[in-house]
Amino acid sequence: MHIVYNSDQFEVLAYPAEHGLELVDKAGQRSLFIQGEIADRFHQSMREVVGEGVDSETVDDFLDEYCSGSAQPIVFH
């Protein structure tokens, strides 16, 4: 596991062995795991957003929109 992005609101973790990424919404207590081609497309989109020289708030807004409707609640057992 590698940390790709970390802010107060979000964390993006890479799992190279699974060819996957996990998006963790810390405040919303939800996460989304993506793999394969979807993870590749997300990674490219993330690089484009970051490459524009935006601040972490803009990146967090991008991640929030990406997770909208797909992320699952984080449940502790």
Side-chain angles (χ1 to χ4, degrees):
M1 174 185 69
H2 303 279
I3 297 174
V4 175
Y5 176 78
N6 188 29
S7 71
D8 290 341
Q9 179 72 27
F10 279 94
E11 190 167 49
V12 178
L13 307 169
Y15 296 89
E18 291 83 15
H19 193 76
L21 294 166
E22 181 178 16
L23 289 62
V24 179
D25 178 352
K26 297 174 184 177
Q29 296 183 341
R30 59 187 178 155
S31 77
L32 175 63
F33 185 80
I34 53 178
Q35 287 180 287
E37 188 177 321
I38 295 169
D40 291 340
R41 285 194 308 246
F42 169 80
H43 193 251
Q44 180 61 36
S45 296
M46 182 80 169
R47 282 199 301 228
E48 290 171 7
V49 168
V50 172
E52 295 173 1
V54 297
D55 59 9
S56 62
E57 185 176 320
T58 303
V59 175
D60 287 352
D61 288 344
F62 166 78
L63 293 169
D64 187 50
E65 185 177 320
Y66 197 89
C67 287
S68 180
S70 298
Q72 299 294 316
I74 297 172
V75 179
F76 297 99
H77 297 274

